[in-house]
């Protein structure tokens, strides 16, 4: 999943084998510099907030049980 989203331009993947403090700092800097483009890409992909999606699913299941 991480590499898929990286290809879509909405995330950055740091492999555990090559991770370092310098690489992490560089990745954070790059994401920060590209934050507006990343936001646009997220909107274009229609990515939902995972927490909101889960809460919505729980609500729908609970509503079905109480009706």
């Amino acid at each position: 999943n991480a590499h898929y989203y990286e290809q879509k331009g909405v995330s950055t993947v740091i492999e555990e084998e090559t991770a370092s403090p310098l690489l992490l700092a560089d990745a954070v800097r790059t994401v920060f510099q590209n934050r507006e483009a990343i936001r646009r890409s997220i909107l274009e992909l229609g990515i939902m907030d995972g927490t909101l999606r889960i809460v919505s699913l729980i609500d729908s299941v609970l509503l079905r049980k109480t009706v």
Side-chain angles (χ1 to χ4, degrees):
N1 286 341
H3 289 288
Y4 169 81
Y5 286 111
E6 183 178 43
Q7 290 173 351
K8 297 295 181 182
V10 298
S11 73
T12 299
V13 175
I14 298 174
E15 300 293 343
E16 186 175 354
E17 301 81 32
T18 59
S20 71
L22 184 60
L23 185 60
L24 176 60
D26 186 49
V28 169
R29 188 177 313 106
T30 300
V31 168
F32 183 76
Q33 289 171 345
N34 297 322
R35 65 189 178 277
E36 291 305 319
I38 292 170
R39 283 185 185 131
R40 284 191 301 274
S41 294
I42 289 171
L43 289 173
E44 289 172 10
L45 285 173
I47 298 171
M48 288 184 61
D49 180 322
T51 302
L52 292 177
R53 178 74 176 136
I54 290 169
V55 169
S56 175
L57 288 170
I58 291 170
D59 282 346
S60 69
V61 168
L62 290 175
L63 285 174
R64 278 186 266 159
K65 287 186 176 187
T66 60
V67 175

